[in-house]
Amino acid sequence: MPNTETSGGGATLHPLHAILLAFPLALFSAGLISDIAYLRTAVIQWSNFSAWLITGALVFGGLVLAWGVIAAVFPRRSSRRRALAFLAAVAVMWLAGLINAFQHSHDGWPSVGALGLTLSILSSLFALIAAAIGYSSPSARGIVR
Amino acid sequence: MSARWIIVAAAALTLQACGRSDPGLDQTGAGKPPLPGQQETLLPPMKIATPKGWDGKTPTVPKGFSITPLATDLKIPRQMLVLPNGDILVAEGSGGTESKLRPKDFIAGYIKAKGKTKVKGGNRITLLRDADGDGKAELKTVLVGGLNAPYGLAFVDGTLYVADQDALLKFPFQPGQTKITANPQTVTDLPSQINHHWTKSLAASADGAKLYVGIGSNSNIGERGLDVEQDRAQVWEIDRLTGAHRVLASGVRNPTALAIEPQTKALWLVANERDELGPQLVPDYLTSVRDGGFYGWPYSYWGQNVDPRVRPQDPRKVGKALVPDYALGSHVAALGVSFASLGGFGGAFAQGAFVGEHGSWNRQDLSGYKVVWIPFAGGRPNGKPVDFVTGFLDGQHARGRPVGVAFDPAKRILLIADDLSNTVWRVAQAQ
């Protein structure tokens, strides 16, 4: 276990936490792409893909979120402010994804529609933001504890 | 920021509570029923009446009638046929071979299973005989087994026709027979890919020359893709002797029962309409079947009301969509229809149709779970539906769920298949 109190060059996230975040980052983005494919083709299988991708993103995203809550309460690897910023991004990502999972359970066109697409964009965007915070190291970004 | 989103999410999740029914809205009868606006909530309104035994109780019948369990311990009884000698055939089984495509399919399957019997479908036809007329079948025997989710039954000219979920079969058969050992012959194969709505309803024309088969859609509104809806949501007219068929009517989402109106000899059906547009959309219906008629599914409902969920849309087909004759109410899940013939029960129940309403999941105020009477005059519906057999619900639990109904004019009894308590009920006029 590295001494996080003094290793200012370490990343914000524990390696395992970072690996877990990779799943929603990839799955929400893939869901966004298959949403776009559905809206362009009306081929329902794209919407089915999106539903599974979002579900998978929620499962892993839920673990990321839970870990993020613990990290914000007991900040060890980075400042509390940074941990909270990460948590907020993951929370938005996950909640938008949760609503989107329900949205994608609709039949036919509204399984995606304007709301589903918006939520997919939101989840993907906030997964990216969470990754940008989580994968950078505080010192490299000039943030001083 | 996250707090605000939590509030948004919580508000969105409680949206399902907005899917409330207006208790004053009467969506039954001839003419256009009131159709509220489409409500697509994040979660559809849901309510499953979980099973509860009869515990010696029976359904409720009008004054002057009595009801008895003619037979119990069946294996998912669905449709019935009364033979010329008074014997009763009961098709038992449960079909469908659809795979689960989405996360939703797993959850919906689990929820719906909570309202069903745990008994496995019999895939057989049971013969019931109550020769002494005491309301209890003294003979209950398997007429033929090894079937594939049999549903529709018809008897014409020494031949028993059985609509399995994948084929229309025929057996040489004489009333009085209690066992069929002959192998079936296939009259024609029936569309059976996926079989989301697997039931194949069956009726013979009045002259016996034609057989009609109702084939349900492969989805709620085309969410498995429209290519799998080829040959679905149709009523076929099949030449009884050659097996050749043509499409008599299309756009009927799920034609769950067919019957010939005795005065006009016209073909009528009951159909189950689409889900997830709100608790009071779309009303199930009873209608005469117009030759060549298109009844809207999936593009529109109750005539030209477009369903925006279906893509690509088809305005040309919407323009041709017929309005059904008679509304039964939303999500009542009509699964049985039988006309009173030869004077019916007399009085208020002389001319008309009995409709078995199974009840469904897509509204929080339970609807259906009863058998209604629809008065007819001159071969057309003439008045509001009247509750005929009720008491299938006990609070939020279901003791039974009516499926097929069969009126026997010779004995003046009504039979009701109940696929939750696996019973066939017999309603007779009290002595």
Side-chain angles (χ1 to χ4, degrees), chain A residues 38 42 44-45 48 51-52 55 88 91-92 95-96 98-99 102-111 119 122 126, chain B residues 1-2 5-6 8-9 12-13 40-43 101-104 106 220-221 223-225 276 308-312:
Chain A
Y38 175 63
I44 198 73
Q45 191 70 330
N48 295 340
W52 284 110
T55 304
V92 174
L95 288 172
L98 181 65
I99 299 169
F102 288 114
Q103 186 64 30
H104 275 70
S105 74
H106 285 94
D107 289 341
W109 193 252
S111 64
L119 290 166
L122 211 58
F126 276 86
Chain B
M1 179 153 187
S2 61
W5 272 95
I6 289 166
V8 170
L13 289 173
E40 282 196 64
T41 46
L42 206 48
L43 280 175
L101 288 188
R102 292 186 288 168
K104 171 194 190 175
F106 289 87
N220 178 23
I221 48 92
E223 72 279 5
R224 282 176 180 260
E276 296 183 41
R309 300 172 296 177
V310 183
R311 298 290 173 103

Side-chain angles (χ1 to χ4, degrees), chain B residues 251-430:
Chain B
V252 184
R253 181 173 171 276
N254 194 9
T256 48
L258 308 170
I260 302 294
E261 197 283 317
Q263 274 198 7
T264 58
K265 315 293 185 209
L267 177 67
W268 286 68
L269 61 77
V270 289
N272 288 359
E273 258 292 355
R274 63 203 71 202
D275 293 325
E276 296 183 41
L277 280 181
Q280 288 170 315
L281 280 181
V282 171
D284 296 339
Y285 57 82
L286 168 73
T287 193
S288 57
V289 182
R290 217 172 312 160
D291 192 345
F294 171 70
Y295 288 83
W297 191 90
Y299 304 104
S300 65
Y301 55 88
W302 216 269
Q304 274 76 45
N305 298 281
V306 171
D307 190 328
R309 300 172 296 177
V310 183
R311 298 290 173 103
Q313 297 186 320
D314 194 337
R316 193 183 56 84
K317 293 212 88 166
V318 171
K320 290 199 304 186
L322 297 175
V323 175
D325 292 335
Y326 193 92
L328 298 168
S330 299
H331 310 297
V332 297
L335 294 186
V337 61
S338 181
F339 284 96
S341 52
L342 304 177
F345 284 124
F349 304 107
Q351 265 186 64
F354 296 98
V355 173
E357 298 179 351
H358 196 235
S360 185
W361 60 274
N362 192 195
R363 59 190 288 177
Q364 281 168 340
D365 52 327
L366 296 169
S367 69
Y369 296 93
K370 61 187 176 184
V371 176
V372 297
W373 162 258
I374 307 205
F376 271 55
R380 306 289 304 173
N382 176 40
K384 288 280 182 185
V386 177
D387 285 356
F388 189 69
V389 186
T390 58
F392 289 92
L393 287 174
D394 180 46
Q396 301 302 309
H397 300 287
R399 295 187 189 274
R401 297 181 79 178
V403 188
V405 287
F407 181 76
D408 176 0
K411 290 184 178 159
R412 298 204 189 281
I413 55 172
L414 178 74
L415 302 160
I416 302 160
D418 167 353
D419 74 351
L420 184 64
S421 69
N422 292 304
T423 303
V424 169
W425 299 99
R426 175 188 184 271
V427 181
Q429 280 166 309

Side-chain angles (χ1 to χ4, degrees), chain A residues 119-144:
Chain A
L119 290 166
S120 278
I121 291 170
L122 211 58
S123 296
S124 304
L125 185 67
F126 276 86
L128 268 173
I129 292 171
I133 299 168
Y135 293 166
S136 62
S137 72
S139 62
R141 297 284 295 272
I143 292 173
V144 179

Side-chain angles (χ1 to χ4, degrees), chain A residues 19-69:
Chain A
I19 290 168
L20 288 174
L21 177 63
F23 285 85
L25 178 63
L27 297 178
F28 278 129
S29 324
L32 172 59
I33 292 165
S34 65
D35 275 356
I36 292 166
Y38 175 63
L39 294 177
R40 289 175 66 93
T41 62
V43 173
I44 198 73
Q45 191 70 330
W46 291 114
S47 172
N48 295 340
F49 286 151
S50 292
W52 284 110
L53 291 165
I54 292 165
T55 304
L58 285 176
V59 171
F60 288 97
L63 298 173
V64 176
L65 185 63
W67 195 324
V69 170

